């Protein structure tokens, strides 16, 4: 049985923590790279990593700078390209040359840019809860989301605020998942603001138009980004769009639903 392992990669600005599982199946398929949402970690993909390692895929899930076990950027990163370049450094250090990439929320933005900027390396792009929207939408959502609501305070009230935030974000009844995401979101209160600052100024519309590889999009109706699925079909009518479940936490809450669409998609790439 394949085992998920944890390790670190030394980048110029600090260490990147990542999870990986090397498939033990006799028939090996192309690697899959999983890019997480804010303010989670690569751990949100462990269920999917187990599913796909059993199908012959080596799987990798790094923690974004400012999240999980990765370093905290000292300054505000200039753009989403900062994060994508670090991911590329990590993946190339691991000897990867071509891979499928799956991104969730902020990770979907970074995955889209990776596919647009490094087309020779990306075999396919899968988006879950993509932030593809107009500039007006970006400004409005940035004003709502880019707020340090759970900055640590002496009385600990930021912990309850984070717990309540998870509840309205569709975390579901799994107490273990909620506890883990509480810890992830409290740890990344500042990293969350830094990536949102970049994501909501990214030319996602233009990036998405430039992606040349096959694309699969998934989203839950109760995901905060569901209202923007319409733009995907507007920009790229040929893209397969599917509905899953799980609020803002689809990879952790609905891995079977995701794999039900993702596995046949991969088989055609």
């Amino acid at each position: 049985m394949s085992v998920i392992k944890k390790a670190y990669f030394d980048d110029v600005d600090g260490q990147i923590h990542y999870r990986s599982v090397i498939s033990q199946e006799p028939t090996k398929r192309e690697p899959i790279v999983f890019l997480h949402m804010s303010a989670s970690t690569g751990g949100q993909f462990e269920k999917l990593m187990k599913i796909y390692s059993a199908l012959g895929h080596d799987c990798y899930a790094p923690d974004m700078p400012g999240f999980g076990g990765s370093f905290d950027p000292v300054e505000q990163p200039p753009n989403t390209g900062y994060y994508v370049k670090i991911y590329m450094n990590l993946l190339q250090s691991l000897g990867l040359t071509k891979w499928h990439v799956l991104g969730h929320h902020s990770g979907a933005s970074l995955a889209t840019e990776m596919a647009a900027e490094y087309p020779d390396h990306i075999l396919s792009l899968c988006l879950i809860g993509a932030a593809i929207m107009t500039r007006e939408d970006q400004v409005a959502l940035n004003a709502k989301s880019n707020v340090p609501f759970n900055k640590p305070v002496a009385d600990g009230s930021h912990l309850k605020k984070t717990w309540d935030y998870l509840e309205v974000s569709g975390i579901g009844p799994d107490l273990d998942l909620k506890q883990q995401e509480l810890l992830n979101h409290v740890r990344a209160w500042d990293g969350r603001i830094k990536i949102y600052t970049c994501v909501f100024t990214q030319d996602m519309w233009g990036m998405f138009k430039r992606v040349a590889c096959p694309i699969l999009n998934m989203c839950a109706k109760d995901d905060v980004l569901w209202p923007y699925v319409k733009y995907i079909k507007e920009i790229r009518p040929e893209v397969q769009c599917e509905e899953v479940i799980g609020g803002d936490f689809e990879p952790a809450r609905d891995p079977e639903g995701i794999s039900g669409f993702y596995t046949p998609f991969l088989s055609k790439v």
Side-chain angles (χ1 to χ4, degrees), residues 7-28:
Y8 286 90
F9 163 70
D10 291 326
D11 200 61
V12 174
D13 289 349
Q15 288 190 313
I16 291 294
H17 177 258
Y18 66 96
R19 291 166 174 80
S20 66
V21 56
I22 304 304
S23 177
Q24 302 302 309
E25 297 301 312
T27 301
K28 293 295 288 284

Side-chain angles (χ1 to χ4, degrees), residues 65-102:
F67 299 79
S70 292
F71 76 93
D72 292 308
V74 176
E75 305 291 339
Q76 169 64 47
N79 49 48
T80 47
Y82 171 86
Y83 298 89
V84 173
K85 180 59 178 174
I86 289 173
Y87 282 153
M88 292 299 298
N89 292 343
L90 163 65
L91 299 171
Q92 291 177 326
S93 79
L94 294 171
L96 275 63
T97 56
K98 292 181 180 294
W99 57 88
H100 303 282
V101 60
L102 182 154

